[in-house]
């Protein structure tokens, strides 16, 4: 496999087989540099350089980068500190009423659902969840829950637990057929899977930075479709919510007529700058290329696991798979197995009774070989020690 990155930008690749982007990806070195530069400047110069104009414009580069990633306009993007924060503000903005419902899945990442549940506790709207047997959700079960009272369909594009990928076009059509909004959490897909938010007519999308985008903790973006930009009053507001933020008059708020209205306060601005660099880097490589590269890594892993008769629990259908590969190791405690793999310099995550492998574009085929060899070693060691052994 021909490498598509310079591994010097991801030093962790020199120490271990890092197969854990679905948890936290190593930050792209260019992002790290931008963050450190901003922090150092503020530490040493206060607001001499990071003045009011710089603060007002702090997200311009991130908006431009994210607009390229999602095929939308810069003014359709808002910056925030986390996907959960942006989604919470949006959920309070939409605030579906007592006769309406919100559709999601039972196995979605909690942060994708909790904001809606919290709003539902207040407004009395109904939450409808498609069942997820063994974490797999039949997309038609999601669609069957949508009816004329559905206000929002909120799903994670790719499920954290098994890498299942939903067809955004299909869900968008199903939601819109009932005048519901499709709101997507792209935290487990953006940067690894191409997303055409405008083409799929997604209504809103949130995305954290520290997974497949190789950005920092402390930054996130939201896409808000143009038709919603003047419709909703954000759930979270502050001095930055006003269209001319430095006017600083507490007796009025005039919201910007763009997605920017969901930006409300100060934040670790350097993280937004770092995320901008990370997205620019990914877009420069090309997300299609990253997807194809990652798929080859996943193919090697799937093949290796299948040769060892290990049960793969992530979907294998082309339309649903990603480079998140999950597997159940019969008779093994997943946390113990993940710990032993870590001791052998292979980073994966244990989630319930499965092991989640999540290779990304900085990995190479030998990382997969190394993981498989270590698995063999751990399983063989147990056979030779036998039951009741140490
Ligand atoms: C699908 C999904 N959404 C949201 C989050 C959390 O995002 P944030 O930390 O930016 O709120 C995660 C974290 O694992 C996730 O997997």
């Amino acid at each position: 496999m021909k490498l598509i990155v310079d591994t010097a930008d991801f030093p962790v690749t020199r120490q271990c087989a890092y197969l854990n982007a679905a948890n936290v990806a190593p930050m792209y070195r260019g992002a790290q540099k931008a963050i450190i530069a901003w922090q150092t400047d503020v530490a040493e110069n206060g607001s001499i350089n990071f003045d009011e104009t710089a603060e007002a414009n702090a997200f311009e580069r991130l908006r431009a980068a994210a607009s390229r990633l999602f095929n939308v306009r810069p003014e359709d993007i808002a910056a925030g500190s986390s996907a959960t924060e942006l989604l919470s503000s949006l959920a309070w903005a939409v605030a579906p009423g007592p006769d309406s419902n919100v559709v999601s899945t039972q196995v979605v990442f909690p942060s994708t659902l909790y904001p809606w549940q919290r709003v539902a506790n207040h407004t009395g709207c109904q939450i409808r969840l498609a069942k997820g047997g063994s974490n797999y959700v039949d997309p038609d079960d999601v669609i069957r829950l949508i009816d004329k009272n559905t206000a929002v369909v909120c799903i994670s594009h790719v499920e954290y637990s098994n890498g299942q990928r939903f067809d955004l076009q299909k869900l968008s059509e199903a939601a819109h057929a009932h005048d519901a909004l499709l709101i997507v959490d792209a935290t487990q897909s953006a940067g690894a899977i191409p997303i055409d938010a405008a083409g799929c007519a997604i209504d809103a999308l949130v995305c954290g930075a520290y997974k497949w985008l190789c950005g920092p903790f402390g930054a996130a973006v939201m896409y808000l479709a143009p038709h919603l930009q003047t419709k909703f009053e954000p759930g979270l507001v502050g001095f930055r919510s006003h269209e001319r933020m430095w006017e600083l008059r507490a007796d009025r708020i005039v919201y910007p007529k763009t997605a920017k209205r969901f930006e409300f306060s100060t934040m670790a601005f350097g993280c937004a700058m770092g995320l901008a660099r990370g997205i620019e880097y990914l877009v420069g490589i090309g997300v299609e290329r990253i997807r194809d590269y990652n798929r080859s890594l996943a193919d090697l892993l799937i093949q290796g696991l299948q040769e060892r008769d290990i049960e793969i629990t992530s979907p294998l259908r082309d339309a649903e798979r990603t480079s998140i590969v999950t597997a159940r190791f019969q008779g093994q405690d997943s946390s113990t197995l993940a710990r032993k793999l870590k001791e052998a310099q292979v980073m994966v995550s244990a989630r319930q009774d499965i092991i989640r492998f999540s290779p990304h574009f900085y990995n190479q085929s030998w990382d997969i070989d190394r993981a498989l060899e270590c698995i063999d070693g751990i399983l063989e060691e147990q056979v030779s020690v036998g039951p009741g052994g140490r």
Side-chain angles (χ1 to χ4, degrees), residues 263-276:
E263 294 163 3
F264 61 98
S265 186
T266 59
M267 61 174 270
F269 292 107
C271 294
M273 295 166 193
L275 175 57

Side-chain angles (χ1 to χ4, degrees), residues 33-79:
K33 280 190 188 153
I35 296 166
I36 292 172
W38 182 83
Q39 295 284 12
T40 306
D41 179 42
V42 174
E44 294 177 0
N45 303 304
S47 64
I48 295 174
N49 300 319
F50 192 65
D51 58 14
E52 291 179 3
T53 308
E55 188 173 334
N57 295 333
F59 301 134
E60 296 297 320
R61 195 160 167 175
L62 177 55
R63 284 198 207 98
S67 70
R68 290 174 67 202
L69 184 67
F70 299 127
N71 186 32
V72 297
R73 306 170 312 162
E75 54 269 45
D76 304 333
I77 301 290

